[in-house]
Amino acid sequence: MTISETILITGGAQRVGLHCARRLVEDGYRVIITCRTMRPEWQDQPLNGIEVMLADFSTLAGIEDFIRRLHQRAPVLRAIVHNASLWLDDHQGAQAMQQMYMVHVQAPYLINRAAEALLDPQQVTDIIHLTDHVAQRGSKKHMAYCASKAALENLTLSFAAQFAPRVKVNSIAPALIMFNTDDNDEYRRKTLEKSALGIEPGPEVVYQSIRYLMDNTYVTGTSLTLNGGRHLK
Ligand SMILES: NC(=O)C1=CN([C@@H]2O[C@H](COP(=O)(O)OP(=O)(O)OC[C@H]3O[C@@H](n4cnc5c(N)ncnc54)[C@H](OP(=O)(O)O)[C@@H]3O)[C@@H](O)[C@H]2O)C=CC1
Ligand SMILES: Nc1nc2c(c(=O)[nH]1)N=C([C@H](O)[C@@H](O)CO)CN2
């Protein structure tokens, strides 16, 4: 089944975002991803069914420029997935809080307000914020990251109230989804021990969560827990 609708995924050039983009293309959607740099591998291995828009959300000008270009493209959006993120710990300087605030809060806030007009008026549509389990609990090593993700959780509530009933707005709050290549064995062992299920699930569980929220007509203003039972330990 070919669906002409388009789904926007920010930060979709790698890992979770790219996996979800590819799975949604398999479902028949057109997908637009954003990234700061084009990947050289795309020369030989093009991203079939995925359009790429360059966007750097580290400055207001960068966010506003992306919004302007998005409006020029004027896609009929079925969903917006705010996936772009920086995961900086608290040893990375005072700028880290500002950098993560721009990506996790300022960009979703401005894009949602501007892109509401691009969401398909012919059907109920979705905005999905990728937050984090630790937004509800805090973190001793990622305080600034947590605070910015907690702000994004709060934006879910505000936008859900404002955009209902035409647009559903929800968060997905993961704990470990996939490690980074430079995570050592000790870190991996300790992280896996933090959840009741003790696994590294991989990005498919985020795609499944996006599909659940898109397919369910009666869920808005919520935060979908995706944490392997981390709250049980
Ligand atoms: N991986 C995990 O285990 C977990 C992930 N999450 C959340 O899930 C989502 C996906 O995670 P993951 O795939 O690991 O994310 P990544 O760390 O791979 O980051 C996703 C993308 O964010 C983009 N990004 C970073 N800074 C900026 C910026 N200033 N402007 C525009 N884009 C930017 C990058 O795009 P590029 O460099 O291409 O420009 C990057 O590819 C994130 O929101 C994350 O916080 C939550 C808990 C666990
Ligand atoms: N933007 C990112 N956010 C997060 C990442 C990541 O790789 N990029 N990773 C995590 C961890 O997996 C954490 O959940 C477990 O140590 C959190 N957020």
Side-chain angles (χ1 to χ4, degrees), residues 15 85-87 132 145 174-178 180 187 191 230:
R15 293 164 55 82
S85 171
L86 275 176
W87 189 42
D132 192 308
Y145 167 84
L176 169 70
I177 297 297
M178 56 193 301
N180 282 283
Y187 173 80
T191 302
R230 183 152 170 187

Side-chain angles (χ1 to χ4, degrees), residues 112-125:
N112 287 349
R113 295 184 69 196
E116 185 197 2
L118 298 174
L119 287 163
D120 186 355
Q122 302 299 319
Q123 61 178 319
V124 175
T125 51

Side-chain angles (χ1 to χ4, degrees), residues 11-17 34-37 39 55-58 82-87 103-104 130-132 145 149 174-180:
Q14 64 188 40
R15 293 164 55 82
V16 172
T34 77
C35 61
R36 289 169 296 181
T37 54
R39 279 21 182 202
D56 186 337
F57 301 142
S58 59
H82 291 287
N83 169 78
S85 171
L86 275 176
W87 189 42
V103 185
H104 297 157
L130 268 295
T131 59
D132 192 308
Y145 167 84
K149 288 288 192 174
L176 169 70
I177 297 297
M178 56 193 301
F179 288 113
N180 282 283

Side-chain angles (χ1 to χ4, degrees), residues 8 10 13-14 49 73 94 103 139 153 167 172 181 183 190 220 230 232:
L8 169 65
T10 66
Q14 64 188 40
R73 279 190 188 225
V103 185
S139 164
E153 280 285 2
V167 184
I172 297 170
T181 51
D183 290 334
K190 283 167 59 179
T220 195
R230 183 152 170 187
L232 302 173

